[in-house]
Amino acid sequence: MIPDIAPERIEDARSAALQLLDRRTDQATICPSEVARMVAGKAGADPKGPSWRAVMPVVHAAIDQLVAERLVELSWKRKVMGSRYGPYRIGRVQPGR
């Protein structure tokens, strides 16, 4: 069962993913853990705040939304994935796909 996640937490993760991609070249990808670290870092001012691993369900939910909206695509070892499973990288949707 997937826990209920507050929409603002998902929006933080969506924003973090898009910001990280904006800092990279068009062909570059990011790791979901980079997104989680960025989101957890915002809460990191609180020493009792979540670790990046605890934020991963939020990141997965955000990435699922971004994929559904065709704002990002997932890949592993340069092969595009239709949905999120196992290890994956996040990148911009490439033209022609």
Side-chain angles (χ1 to χ4, degrees):
M1 183 175 162
I2 298 173
D4 290 330
I5 300 171
E8 59 273 7
R9 293 188 71 207
I10 293 174
E11 187 53 42
D12 283 347
R14 287 171 56 103
S15 177
L18 295 174
Q19 285 177 35
L20 287 167
L21 284 170
D22 282 346
R23 296 177 189 166
R24 310 282 171 91
T25 64
D26 288 343
Q27 302 292 322
T29 62
I30 58 173
C31 182
S33 67
E34 291 177 78
V35 179
R37 284 179 174 92
M38 189 172 182
V39 172
K42 288 180 182 176
D46 176 4
K48 294 181 183 178
S51 74
W52 71 267
R53 291 180 198 279
V55 178
M56 287 304 294
V58 175
V59 171
H60 293 316
I63 298 306
D64 288 346
Q65 284 183 2
L66 291 169
V67 168
E69 294 168 17
R70 298 213 21 89
L71 295 174
V72 300
E73 65 184 10
L74 307 179
S75 63
W76 185 244
K77 296 188 178 184
R78 301 196 185 266
K79 292 189 172 85
V80 175
M81 302 166 60
S83 62
R84 182 180 55 78
Y85 59 90
Y88 66 94
R89 302 280 300 174
I90 305 156
R92 290 178 186 79
V93 174
Q94 297 301 311
R97 286 194 257 215

